[in-house]
Amino acid sequence: MRDAVTSLIKNYDVAGRYFDRNAIDTLKEYFDSGTARVQAAAAINSNAAALVKQAGSKLFEELPELIRPGGNAYTTRRLAACLRDMDYYLRYATYALVAGNTNVLDERVLQGLRETYNSLGVPIGPTVRGVQILKDLVKAQVVGAGITNTTFVDEPFDHITRELSEQDV
C-alpha cells in the first residue's frame, strides 16, 4: 500500500527528476491536512458500526425493493453480506483517507469487484448509492468532530463509486 508521499516519490524516481514546485505543493497540502485526516479517521472509527447501520437503513428506505422477497438483500444472509460489504468500503475508504491515496482501494477492494458482483447478480447501482450515502454520513460525522474542511473525505468514496459505476452499458 502506498500513501501520497511514497506515490509521489515513486513517480519522480521513475522519471529521474527532482521534486518540482507541483511536488512540493502536493507534499505541503498532504502534510497540512494530516491532522484533519487523522481526526476524521478517529471520528469514523469510533462510530463505524453506527455509520454502516445508518447507511444501510437509508439505502433500504430509498430502495425498499432490495429487502422485499426477490430483492438482493431479502434474506438475513444477504442483508448481512450487504452490510458487511458497506463496512469494508468504510474501512478501506478510511485507510485511503489517512494515506491521501486511493491505491489501497484499487489493490484491496476494487480489483475485480464489479465483475464479481455481476457474476453473483449483485446490483451495482444500489451498491454505488450505498457508498454515496455512506460518504454523506461520514462527512456529517467529520463535521461533527469539528473538522470544517471535509473535501479530502470525498476522494476515497468518489473513487469507489467511479470505479464501480457501470460503463458502456
Side-chain angles (χ1 to χ4, degrees):
M1 178 178 84
R2 294 187 309 253
D3 60 23
V5 175
T6 56
S7 292
L8 184 73
I9 291 169
K10 179 183 177 205
N11 291 340
Y12 276 76
D13 182 43
V14 167
R17 296 178 22 207
Y18 286 95
F19 288 150
D20 56 18
R21 186 79 240 150
N22 289 337
I24 299 298
D25 289 345
T26 299
L27 289 170
K28 184 178 179 335
E29 180 182 320
Y30 175 73
F31 288 118
D32 286 348
S33 66
T35 301
R37 289 173 187 278
V38 171
Q39 289 173 334
I44 293 166
N45 292 348
S46 66
N47 296 294
L51 288 166
V52 169
K53 184 178 179 182
Q54 288 174 336
S57 293
K58 195 166 188 172
L59 175 65
F60 300 133
E61 184 179 300
E62 285 183 20
L63 301 169
E65 64 274 9
L66 292 171
I67 55 174
R68 291 188 184 130
N72 201 271
Y74 172 58
T75 64
T76 303
R77 187 179 117 270
R78 285 180 164 192
L79 176 63
C82 176
L83 295 176
R84 177 208 60 211
D85 287 358
M86 289 181 90
D87 187 61
Y88 288 158
Y89 302 141
L90 179 60
R91 183 163 46 98
Y92 281 100
T94 304
Y95 297 161
L97 187 147
V98 171
N101 185 300
T102 58
N103 180 267
V104 67
L105 296 172
D106 296 328
E107 289 177 359
R108 305 285 171 90
V109 178
L110 296 169
Q111 192 173 46
L113 184 62
R114 185 177 340 125
E115 293 78 8
T116 300
Y117 274 8
N118 285 334
S119 71
L120 294 173
V122 175
I124 300 293
T127 302
V128 168
R129 180 63 190 131
V131 172
Q132 291 167 339
I133 291 169
L134 200 52
K135 177 180 92 169
D136 294 341
L137 292 171
V138 165
K139 286 183 81 163
Q141 186 75 41
V142 169
V143 167
I147 300 167
T148 53
N149 182 358
T150 62
T151 56
F152 63 89
V153 173
D154 294 336
E155 184 181 8
F157 293 97
D158 290 347
H159 185 75
I160 293 170
T161 58
R162 187 174 46 254
E163 292 300 310
L164 276 180
S165 294
E166 295 286 346
Q167 299 171 9
D168 300 325
V169 175

